[in-house]
Amino acid sequence: MLSFDPNTDYRLSISPQELDLAVTLDCGQCFRFQQEPDGSFYGIAFGEPLRLRQDADSIVFYKTSEEDFKTIWKPYFDLDTDYAAIRDFLSVDDTMAKAIAFAPGIRILRQSPFEALVSFLISQNNNIPRIKTSIQRLCEQFGRPLAEDGFAFPEPEALWNLEKEDLAGLGLGYRDGYLLDCVRRIRDGRLDLNRIAALPLADARTALLQIKGVGVKVAECVLLFGFHRLDAFPIDTWMKKALAAHYPAGFPAAFHEVAGIAQQYLFHYIRFAAGQ
DNA sequence: TACCAGGGCCTTT
DNA sequence: AAAGGCCATGGT
């Protein structure tokens, strides 16, 4: 059923060491992909549905033209960034070397800034299954229905005139007010994601922190996962423990430029390689 | 300063 | 089966 058809499917030659779908799509940076019982992954990004399958030496993008691969999925999976060089650079550090060896194929996706902002607003003080459920419902209720199946992530204008009652049933809890504050800021011009994209990191951080419900941790996540600021460095409770255990004197300043990528390797390592 | 607010998931009991 | 811990931020 999941055979490769060269007329409709695109096959990318790549190893799991370069791009590991299971880890990259399920490490908490995005919330709209899932692994199916047949092993394939299915999700929606930028209003485009995608099914993919990873093999030992390639990834098949189903029903994907070469054009779509180049314009949508190549940037989405950050395939223009040289992760091998970054891994080498970070591996001079013992802990980083172990973390990278444990899961070398992690990449930072280039997601939509708005989707990342809303997703991480919802993610605070929350767990991944519930985050996914809330986002799924948000898309079903306010996103554009796709021709194939499923729904796009909602546009800001589909949300900015809503009231809290309209969000009941999404399971947002007290985060509903944060979401409304966020989209109303966009509506009123007090928040301009395009402008933030062009700002120096510190200024972008300050701008994001104006949004109710965006604190230091959420802001770093949005910068890293939504704006691809690889020097953003989210610190949650897992990272706090990791830093205390492995970097009591502080995380190496030399890694500053790619600290966000280092964070992903380290985060995954301490969560899933305990005792190794 | 310390604590509580939705609520669901996960681990431990 | 039941209980308790967890989570990031803003408000009191």
Side-chain angles (χ1 to χ4, degrees):
Chain A
M1 59 177 161
L2 275 180
S3 57
F4 173 70
D5 180 349
N7 294 312
T8 56
D9 307 333
Y10 183 84
R11 187 194 291 277
L12 170 71
S13 290
I14 194 167
S15 73
Q17 282 72 37
E18 270 306 307
L19 169 55
D20 186 331
L21 293 182
V23 176
T24 298
L25 293 174
D26 200 31
C27 65
Q29 66 171 315
C30 70
F31 302 98
R32 298 210 69 200
F33 275 87
Q34 61 188 37
Q35 190 159 24
E36 307 277 309
D38 65 12
S40 70
F41 295 84
Y42 179 77
I44 297 166
F46 295 102
E48 297 289 336
L50 176 67
R51 180 176 301 281
L52 354 74
R53 187 189 73 214
Q54 179 140 43
D55 297 318
D57 59 0
S58 67
I59 293 174
V60 175
F61 294 70
Y62 290 99
K63 293 190 169 63
T64 301
S65 67
E66 185 171 354
E67 174 73 12
D68 279 352
F69 170 76
K70 280 186 179 161
T71 57
I72 302 171
W73 304 116
K74 195 177 184 194
Y76 185 71
F77 286 100
D78 203 19
L79 292 168
D80 287 315
T81 299
D82 186 353
Y83 280 73
I86 294 168
R87 288 194 296 267
D88 286 348
F89 173 64
L90 293 171
S91 289
V92 299
D93 176 273
D94 279 352
T95 302
M96 284 310 310
K98 285 179 194 162
I100 288 168
F102 180 69
I106 297 177
R107 283 176 176 254
I108 309 291
L109 300 169
R110 290 184 186 263
Q111 302 183 65
S112 137
F114 178 66
E115 178 170 336
L117 172 55
V118 170
S119 296
F120 285 95
L121 210 45
I122 292 172
S123 82
Q124 62 161 93
N125 192 23
N126 211 339
N127 56 69
I128 289 176
R130 186 157 76 125
I131 297 165
K132 284 187 167 181
T133 301
S134 290
I135 291 175
Q136 177 64 29
R137 290 175 184 162
L138 184 72
C139 295
E140 286 169 0
Q141 291 194 27
F142 305 109
R144 171 176 55 85
L146 305 180
E148 305 84 349
D149 194 19
F151 297 82
F153 196 87
E155 299 298 325
E157 48 268 46
L159 303 174
W160 65 34
N161 288 328
L162 298 179
E163 301 295 333
K164 279 191 183 182
E165 305 84 69
D166 301 313
L167 300 176
L170 298 184
L172 298 180
Y174 60 84
R175 303 167 195 82
D176 54 4
Y178 299 162
L179 174 56
L180 292 180
D181 179 65
C182 169
V183 292
R184 286 170 186 172
R185 280 174 184 274
I186 295 174
R187 178 189 64 189
D188 302 341
R190 289 173 290 155
L191 172 62
D192 181 345
L193 298 183
N194 289 326
R195 186 182 137 265
I196 288 179
L199 252 33
L201 183 69
D203 297 339
R205 190 179 275 141
T206 302
L208 289 172
L209 287 171
Q210 306 308 308
I211 304 163
K212 202 168 286 181
V214 174
V216 174
K217 191 265 180 179
V218 170
E220 294 303 295
C221 285
V222 175
L223 288 165
L224 178 59
F225 303 125
F227 291 98
H228 212 256
R229 298 295 177 93
L230 300 182
D231 47 350
F233 195 65
I235 300 176
D236 70 343
T237 54
W238 287 93
M239 280 302 294
K240 266 184 198 150
K241 286 177 202 159
L243 292 174
H246 297 288
Y247 301 99
F251 196 67
F255 294 160
H256 152 85
E257 276 185 33
V258 288
I261 296 180
Q263 185 267 1
Q264 281 301 97
Y265 291 131
L266 199 53
F267 178 81
H268 190 259
Y269 177 62
I270 55 153
R271 282 210 64 180
F272 299 107
Q276 292 185 34

